[in-house]
Amino acid sequence: MPRPAKGARLGGGPSHERLLLAGLARELFQYGRITTTEAKARRLRPVAEKLITKAKKGDIHNRREVRKTITDVAVLHTLFTEIAPRYENRPGGYTRITKVGPRRGDNAPMAVIELVEALTVAQTAVGEAEAATKRSVKETEAAAPVDAAPADAAPVEDAAPADAVEETKEG
Amino acid sequence: MAVPKRKMSRSNTRHRRSQWKAAVPALVACDRCHEPKLGHIACPSCGTYNRRQVLSV
């Protein structure tokens, strides 16, 4: 049986909904970060991430598939040449939704949806190290936690301020 | 078409309206600027969420 899409229905009909989501995806790839209602952001996330996954493959077939949604060729080019290569090492989760409170006027819950930064080599290493630490913790349940806690804390703190600095420059 | 048979008394009207109250929003202190803000939402005064700058202020 067909399963309905998760989240709110948008617009006045199926074609309107497709067009709204296509427009939101185009704006997201064009500007990198957009403010919209939370319902629209939640619907947009899977659409945008599937488009990025197709763009990462980068062949002509996938370009034509993406072009069904992103009809603006300038944005299509940006997506394939700039956005997709950034996420080469990232297995999904290319967007981030942050709630920013209700809108004045109709009190609609608003959210910022943005493309996350590329994984740097250091972050990838940290991620692997954390995963390794978790594995070792699981394996040696009794002995490891005392050793693991400081090792976990240091890299996370290193990564977070770097992110914050990058974002402040952008915004 | 269904229509009211009786005039609604002021008492009934006021009883109904007395149940119409505003709820107090659950506020938490912002991590960075300690201003009260809604939970799970970027701080409107400093624009950060989870130590990440989300809004330009």
Side-chain angles (χ1 to χ4, degrees), chain A residues 33 96 99 101 163-164 167, chain B residues 40-42 51-54:
Chain A
R33 136 197 304 243
R96 175 188 300 131
K99 289 182 250 184
D163 281 359
E167 297 234 344
Chain B
H40 306 288
I41 277 180
R51 293 198 292 167
R52 184 177 272 126
Q53 193 71 31
V54 178

Side-chain angles (χ1 to χ4, degrees), chain B residues 32-55:
Chain B
R32 180 164 295 182
C33 64
H34 307 294
E35 290 282 317
K37 69 175 191 79
L38 289 169
H40 306 288
I41 277 180
C43 176
S45 62
C46 66
T48 58
Y49 184 74
N50 213 356
R51 293 198 292 167
R52 184 177 272 126
Q53 193 71 31
V54 178
L55 304 167

Side-chain angles (χ1 to χ4, degrees), chain A:
Chain A
M1 245 183 87
R3 178 183 293 169
K6 245 184 198 174
R9 308 287 163 268
L10 307 176
S15 56
H16 189 194
E17 181 170 290
R18 277 197 299 274
L19 286 167
L20 278 170
L21 289 173
L24 284 168
R26 185 193 64 221
E27 300 289 306
L28 177 64
F29 295 140
Q30 192 170 354
Y31 298 108
R33 136 197 304 243
I34 54 175
T35 308
T36 180
T37 62
E38 199 192 327
K40 280 180 184 153
R42 297 252 175 249
R43 285 302 305 278
L44 173 61
R45 193 216 290 257
V47 174
E49 299 206 349
K50 276 164 196 163
L51 291 176
I52 295 176
T53 304
K54 286 201 175 81
K56 276 167 79 175
K57 290 175 187 156
D59 54 11
I60 191 71
H61 168 65
N62 282 297
R63 184 176 282 260
R64 283 170 180 161
E65 287 292 316
V66 173
R67 211 187 153 172
K68 288 177 184 173
T69 308
I70 307 291
T71 48
D72 186 331
V73 284
V75 178
L76 187 79
H77 183 75
T78 322
L79 174 61
F80 274 75
T81 56
E82 287 168 33
I83 296 171
R86 287 209 318 246
Y87 297 133
E88 206 168 349
N89 299 322
R90 188 182 281 273
Y94 314 116
T95 59
R96 175 188 300 131
I97 296 176
T98 313
K99 289 182 250 184
V100 294
R103 170 163 67 189
R104 188 181 171 78
D106 62 357
N107 208 29
M110 300 298 283
V112 168
I113 180 166
E114 59 193 330
L115 299 172
V116 300
E117 311 79 28
L119 277 178
T120 59
V121 178
Q123 279 175 325
T124 321
V126 169
E128 280 166 12
E130 279 175 356
T133 323
K134 275 180 195 165
R135 276 197 297 276
S136 71
V137 168
K138 267 183 194 168
E139 282 163 14
T140 59
E141 196 73 60
V146 185
D147 295 343
D152 264 351
V156 169
E157 276 176 10
D158 284 351
D163 281 359
V165 169
E166 277 173 20
E167 297 234 344
T168 358
K169 277 179 196 164
E170 285 168 20

